[in-house]
Amino acid sequence: MKEMIVETLSPEETFELGKKIGQEAMPGTVYTLTGDLGAGKTVFTQGVAAGLGITEPVNSPTFTIVQIYEGGRCPFYHLDVYRIGDISEMDEIGYEDYFYGDGVCLIEWADLIEEILPEHLVRIQIAKDLEKGFDYRKISLQGEENKLK
Ligand code: ADP
Ligand code: MG
């Protein structure tokens, strides 16, 4: 297991980190994103999409749980499970197609569905530290060596 910590001082820097991850992401990889509301999960996700070559605008799929983007070098499955009421909603959307599919999958608020997360993950946590300023974010990335360069 490898762990990387990156500190960013602006949304642009968080976007750039996401973009770098997206450029190197291998199809089949699942990324989980955790952090409070406003931490920067969606900003990071937009960077990942850009890194995959997606030009369509990416926003949080709040009312649909999953949004699929086909315009990049591989499919991109963006899930935001913030509003999930019951884990059975994940069965309804056919989550296994996304977790075990041939695209890159990224899940915002993944801690809410911990019981069904796949074994192999790259876990990304974004945290504020107000003592270091409003725009400071500490981003921790944890995953297997080959999935985290
Ligand atoms: P989340 O998806 O985690 O709820 P968003 O990505 O939607 O959060 O929003 C993050 C907000 O924080 C944006 O308004 C963004 O401009 C702001 N922000 C300030 N500094 C940073 C930073 N270093 N990284 C990411 N976002 C930042
Ligand atoms: Mg979000």
Side-chain angles (χ1 to χ4, degrees):
M1 215 53 127
K2 184 176 168 183
E3 182 163 21
M4 235 167 72
I5 292 178
V6 180
E7 296 174 294
T8 70
L9 300 170
S10 69
E12 291 76 20
E13 280 184 50
T14 298
F15 181 94
E16 282 307 315
L17 175 65
K19 188 170 172 183
K20 194 176 140 252
I21 297 286
Q23 282 165 346
E24 288 166 8
M26 290 178 289
T29 306
V30 179
Y31 296 88
T32 60
L33 269 178
T34 53
D36 294 340
L37 202 63
K41 298 181 294 299
T42 298
V43 170
F44 183 92
T45 303
Q46 289 164 339
V48 173
L52 287 168
I54 292 156
T55 52
E56 237 183 291
V58 171
N59 288 300
S60 270
T62 310
F63 298 104
T64 52
I65 301 184
V66 63
Q67 192 77 48
I68 304 166
Y69 299 91
E70 299 274 9
R73 74 174 153 83
C74 72
F76 179 47
Y77 312 123
H78 177 204
L79 284 78
D80 186 326
V81 299
Y82 181 58
R83 284 172 200 276
I84 201 160
D86 190 278
I87 203 80
S88 67
E89 288 175 41
M90 292 300 289
D91 291 320
E92 284 161 29
I93 65 154
Y95 74 91
E96 288 177 319
D97 293 348
Y98 310 122
F99 287 11
Y100 307 102
D102 45 16
V104 166
C105 180
L106 186 152
I107 313 159
E108 291 191 50
W109 294 100
D111 41 328
L112 299 178
I113 56 162
E114 195 69 48
E115 61 261 54
I116 59 164
L117 290 177
E119 186 188 343
H120 299 283
L121 288 176
V122 177
R123 290 183 185 269
I124 301 165
Q125 259 176 296
I126 308 182
K128 295 185 189 180
D129 182 344
L130 291 177
E131 283 181 13
K132 298 193 175 175
F134 278 125
D135 293 346
Y136 171 91
R137 301 292 190 272
K138 180 180 171 184
I139 305 176
S140 329
L141 306 101
Q142 199 181 53
E144 286 142 28
E145 201 83 26
N146 63 329
K147 289 188 182 171
L148 201 58
K149 278 178 229 147

